[in-house]
Each structure stands twice: as C-alpha cells, then as structure tokens.
Amino acid sequence: MSVALMWEAKAAEGRGGDLLAWARAQRLDGSPLRRETFRAPGDRVLVITWWDAAYDADVPELPAPDAELVSRPVHRWRFEPVEN
C-alpha cells in the first residue's frame, strides 16, 4: 500500500525563489520512497512525497512556511494509487 502527499504553496510577491529554496531545504522525519519538487508560473511550488504506508497513516508532512513567504495558506492533498 502507498500514499502520495502533495504540498503546494504560492509565494508572496517577488518571493518565488525564496519559497523554492525553503521547500527544498525542509527535512522530513523519515525517508519517503520518492520526493519531487516542482515550480510553476505565478511563483507556485509543489512538493510530492510517496510513502510506503496506508492512505490514512501518520507520515511526515512539510510544514507551512512563515506567513511573509506565502500569499495564501498552503494546500495539502493525499492520493492513493489506483489500478489502470
């Protein structure tokens, strides 16, 4: 069983590089199977981690950055794989 956690934030005006650096520097308590970091127009940053755990398992998540770094609250979602 596995679960993927998505963490997405939109940087405050002109802080996209700072938010990306912040997200990349965050360490988790535990090692995910995989971790990928993305950026998008509008200074958005997305981090996806994959865990060998049940959908509702207690797995480490990235925290929310300081309020001055983001323009809105962080969005978080969990996903589980499905068969094709």
Side-chain angles (χ1 to χ4, degrees):
M1 198 168 238
S2 63
V3 61
L5 279 66
M6 284 181 51
W7 177 99
E8 187 266 341
K10 181 172 174 36
E13 183 70 32
R15 303 290 308 267
D18 296 332
L19 179 60
L20 179 59
W22 180 91
R24 295 179 77 190
Q26 297 307 298
R27 299 293 166 244
L28 297 167
D29 292 334
S31 298
L33 298 171
R34 195 162 100 204
R35 175 177 172 163
E36 293 186 272
T37 304
F38 303 86
R39 65 180 171 186
D43 288 333
R44 290 174 294 150
V45 175
L46 171 69
V47 179
I48 304 174
T49 56
W50 283 262
W51 300 89
D52 183 18
Y55 180 85
D56 58 352
D58 184 20
V59 294
E61 295 192 45
L62 269 72
D66 291 336
E68 66 270 2
L69 196 55
V70 293
S71 64
R72 60 163 168 73
V74 170
H75 293 170
R76 303 170 193 271
W77 301 276
R78 285 183 179 228
F79 293 88
E80 60 186 350
V82 295
E83 297 295 323
N84 288 332

